Amino acid sequence: MTETTVPVKNPGLKNTAWGWVDGAQEQLSAWHTTIWELAEPAWREYESCAWYVKTLREHGFTVEEGSAGMPTAFAAEWTSPAGPGARILGYAEYDAIPGNCQAASTKREPRIGMSRFAPGHTDPHSALGISTLAGFLAAKEAMEAHNIPGTLVYTGEPAEKVQGSKVVHGLRGYYDNLDAIISYHPFYMMPLCNTARWDTHCGSYYSKVYTFTCDDPEGWGNTYGDSPIPSSHSAARAPGADAALFTMFSLTKTTQDSMLPQAGGWSLSEAILSAGQATADNQPAGLAQIQYSWRCPCLAEADAVLAVLDRNAELAAAASHCTVSTRWVARNRPGIANHTVAQVAWENIAAVGAPQLSERAREIGRDIQISCGVEPMENPFHPATEQLISPQDAEAELRRHLPATQLNWTSDDYVEMSWYAPTIRFYTARPTLAPDGNGTAYPGWAMTAMGGIPETIDPTIIATGKMVAGMVLDLLTSPETLAEAKAEFEAEKIRRGSVAPLLPAGFSAPIDFRWPEYIGEGEERRWWIPVSEEPWNTAAGQ
């Protein structure tokens, strides 16, 4: 890990901003708990979005609700009394993942009153949003106190788990006329723990829904002449939409190894959407939908996967007496680097330092280790979570695992933003348990739980809020840095081929699908997917 003694730029401004963060710790913790407990899934983050809109307005921002036609998105703006100055954008994410409902507890258990199949903040996006919000509000405090011109732009980005909103905001012009963008994520994957991205940014992500319909089952085949009874039974024997979906599912599994070489870290996943025919009689399924999402280092590989999937869908439909239609969910360009703003990020990361966990947090970590069947350690957290690594050192470590020709790795939808303005992408560590000598794998609930326990997650929020505030203030007070970043940005776009957006200008977010969601309010709020509730096995490691 990197030892650093980077001097603090603009110490007066930053002391004001950091003082605001320190003074707001209790409030920030409560804010985070609110979003973490709401745990709303993609495209259905109604209460989370409303909370951000209300809070931003209370702090003087002008807020557009439902930006770019997305009900759970927003776009907020505040301009300093000293003048508009440079325009710096940050953002919140607040979607959670179905099937990951976990209480802020040292044992495996769902949140009170919730199905264990309800969503939970696994990343956690709850901390992502509150951290960046803290940074922008702290920067605003310093701008007002020190008469600094500038405009703060802050967007609400729903559905990050399907990379849904940023491409739509971009197409609608919400990222136009910006001087810089700050993108943040809590992280646990070494070596990208407390650092900024340097050269190897995230790659492309495509997501598409294939809809199979069987609208004329009677056309499948009638071998009984003009008799209506066997004719109707012939219709009932049409393979139908379920057969089409299963055919595509199995055909794609068969062909997946042949889509691309097994190198470069590409992946393909699927999700079957609900069609609601559970009580049907002997009629063939009329509707079935499957969503495929794939992550690739480059667009050529992503397009190669797309070609196979489209072909498989046509074959499955033809074999099952169905038709097929498609809708895009997301289609993003690979990210491009900007060393100028990455250096600004690193200077502020180094000035603040990595999140530091208290002895009380360590006690909680040890209790979770016991619940997971691991011998508790004096320091239960991975040492890298409290250490810094420079962007250059992190880049070198990352490149050890990648082919020399590979320009991008894994995926995240901030990459679409990186084509609109110079973009910082940085990480701070989230609490992560240290491995034991036996290499025991911790269950996913353990990390999710620590993302909701104040003692373990608040240090990440406080440190990150200070870093974000520092980045904003450094960018606003250095026109030379912004000019250098813009020149590098324009040159890098040309070097990467000046790739245009991959979806048409009129593309609309697919909010109309039956995405999972909560129903009811207050004590009646329930997860809508009907499941047979069986108690969790709370034995060690289960």
Side-chain angles (χ1 to χ4, degrees):
M1 294 297 169
T2 305
E3 297 293 332
T4 180
T5 55
V6 176
V8 178
K9 292 182 179 178
N10 298 311
L13 290 177
K14 290 178 184 176
N15 284 338
T16 300
W18 295 349
W20 184 93
V21 175
D22 286 333
Q25 286 191 42
E26 186 174 338
Q27 182 182 52
L28 293 171
S29 181
W31 286 357
H32 175 261
T33 296
T34 295
I35 301 300
W36 196 86
E37 290 285 350
L38 286 173
E40 295 173 297
W43 299 127
R44 301 295 185 255
E45 314 96 327
Y46 302 111
E47 293 186 51
S48 301
C49 179
W51 182 91
Y52 274 99
V53 169
K54 177 177 179 291
T55 301
L56 285 160
R57 284 175 174 162
E58 289 173 349
H59 285 82
F61 281 73
T62 300
V63 187
E64 175 193 356
E65 298 180 71
S67 52
M70 297 178 285
T72 56
F74 65 83
E77 191 166 309
W78 176 84
T79 299
S80 169
R87 294 173 58 83
I88 310 300
L89 181 142
Y91 61 86
E93 294 169 5
Y94 30 80
D95 59 322
I97 304 178
N100 289 272
C101 183
Q102 169 61 39
S105 168
T106 58
K107 62 182 181 179
R108 187 180 188 186
E109 57 184 350
R111 301 189 308 281
I112 295 175
M114 281 291 126
S115 162
R116 65 188 178 101
F117 297 104
H121 280 290
T122 59
D123 271 349
H125 286 168
S126 51
L128 183 161
I130 299 303
S131 297
T132 57
L133 178 63
F136 270 66
L137 294 181
K140 175 178 177 288
E141 178 82 2
M143 291 166 69
E144 291 177 310
H146 297 271
N147 204 36
I148 303 299
T151 300
L152 304 182
V153 183
Y154 193 78
T155 56
E157 304 289 351
E160 190 278 337
K161 286 301 178 186
V162 290
Q163 303 204 12
S165 70
K166 297 184 183 72
V167 64
V168 183
H169 270 148
L171 290 169
R172 296 293 189 280
Y174 286 84
Y175 306 146
D176 294 348
N177 304 313
L178 296 172
D179 291 284
I181 295 171
I182 298 174
S183 174
Y184 162 69
H185 207 291
F187 220 56
Y188 64 95
M189 292 173 61
M190 292 3 124
L192 300 174
C193 227
N194 295 298
T195 192
R197 288 266 186 171
W198 196 244
D199 286 320
T200 308
H201 281 253
C202 291
S204 60
Y205 176 94
Y206 288 14
S207 185
K208 197 177 190 183
V209 173
Y210 294 83
T211 297
F212 297 98
T213 55
C214 184
D215 291 327
D216 58 343
E218 67 280 354
W220 174 244
N222 176 12
T223 61
Y224 295 94
D226 59 358
S227 173
I229 295 177
S231 176
S232 65
H233 279 266
S234 291
R237 286 195 295 272
D242 285 349
L245 186 149
F246 177 77
T247 300
M248 182 174 186
F249 178 88
S250 57
L251 185 57
T252 298
K253 290 295 185 186
T254 301
T255 56
Q256 185 168 344
D257 285 348
S258 303
M259 290 179 183
L260 292 174
Q262 297 302 311
W266 78 280
S267 65
L268 175 70
S269 60
E270 70 282 322
I272 297 174
L273 307 187
S274 172
Q277 292 184 237
T279 57
D281 186 22
N282 67 339
Q283 300 301 306
L287 170 70
Q289 295 176 312
I290 187 167
Q291 176 188 5
Y292 280 97
S293 303
W294 57 108
R295 305 167 183 240
C296 296
C298 67
L299 294 180
E301 292 183 356
D303 288 337
V305 174
L306 172 63
V308 177
L309 290 173
D310 283 351
R311 187 163 59 245
N312 287 353
E314 293 292 342
L315 291 169
S320 305
H321 197 59
C322 292
T323 57
V324 61
S325 60
T326 64
R327 283 271 300 279
W328 283 105
V329 176
R331 196 177 185 187
N332 297 328
R333 294 169 282 185
I336 57 176
N338 193 287
H339 292 168
T340 305
V341 292
Q343 183 61 31
V344 172
W346 170 242
E347 289 170 357
N348 283 280
I349 294 168
V352 173
Q356 300 296 309
L357 292 158
S358 66
E359 180 53 34
R360 175 58 187 145
R362 300 195 200 295
E363 291 175 4
I364 292 168
R366 287 191 285 268
D367 287 343
I368 293 175
Q369 285 184 318
I370 292 170
S371 294
C372 296
V374 172
E375 186 71 22
M377 306 171 188
E378 181 179 354
N379 181 6
F381 298 107
H382 198 295
T385 61
E386 296 184 297
Q387 299 170 347
L388 303 181
I389 181 170
S390 73
Q392 295 87 346
D393 289 343
E395 177 73 18
E397 285 295 312
L398 179 61
R399 294 303 315 185
R400 290 176 54 234
H401 306 281
L402 302 177
T405 56
Q406 185 174 330
L407 298 180
N408 296 83
W409 173 72
T410 192
S411 69
D412 188 290
D413 62 350
Y414 82 89
V415 294
E416 191 67 20
M417 303 174 112
S418 73
W419 289 86
Y420 290 92
T423 300
I424 286 170
R425 176 63 168 185
F426 83 103
Y427 307 93
T428 55
R430 57 179 300 186
T432 306
L433 295 174
D436 66 2
N438 299 319
T440 305
Y442 289 102
W445 71 262
M447 183 171 283
T448 299
M450 289 188 292
I453 298 172
E455 291 86 349
T456 52
I457 194 61
D458 285 359
T460 296
I461 295 170
I462 300 307
T464 306
K466 292 180 179 181
M467 293 173 191
V468 170
M471 295 173 201
V472 172
L473 295 171
D474 282 350
L475 291 169
L476 290 177
T477 57
S478 179
E480 300 84 2
T481 298
L482 290 177
E484 182 181 347
K486 183 175 181 180
E488 181 183 351
F489 168 69
E490 296 296 343
E492 186 65 11
K493 282 199 299 183
I494 294 171
R495 190 181 77 84
R496 293 294 292 264
S498 298
V499 181
L502 303 178
L503 292 172
F507 173 78
S508 297
I511 58 176
D512 53 303
F513 282 121
R514 187 69 184 271
W515 303 112
E517 62 183 318
Y518 295 100
I519 57 172
E521 297 180 359
E523 294 184 357
E524 300 301 318
R525 188 171 185 253
R526 293 291 182 269
W527 185 235
W528 81 269
I529 298 177
V531 293
S532 174
E533 284 291 344
E534 299 175 0
W536 266 342
N537 183 346
T538 56
Q542 300 301 308

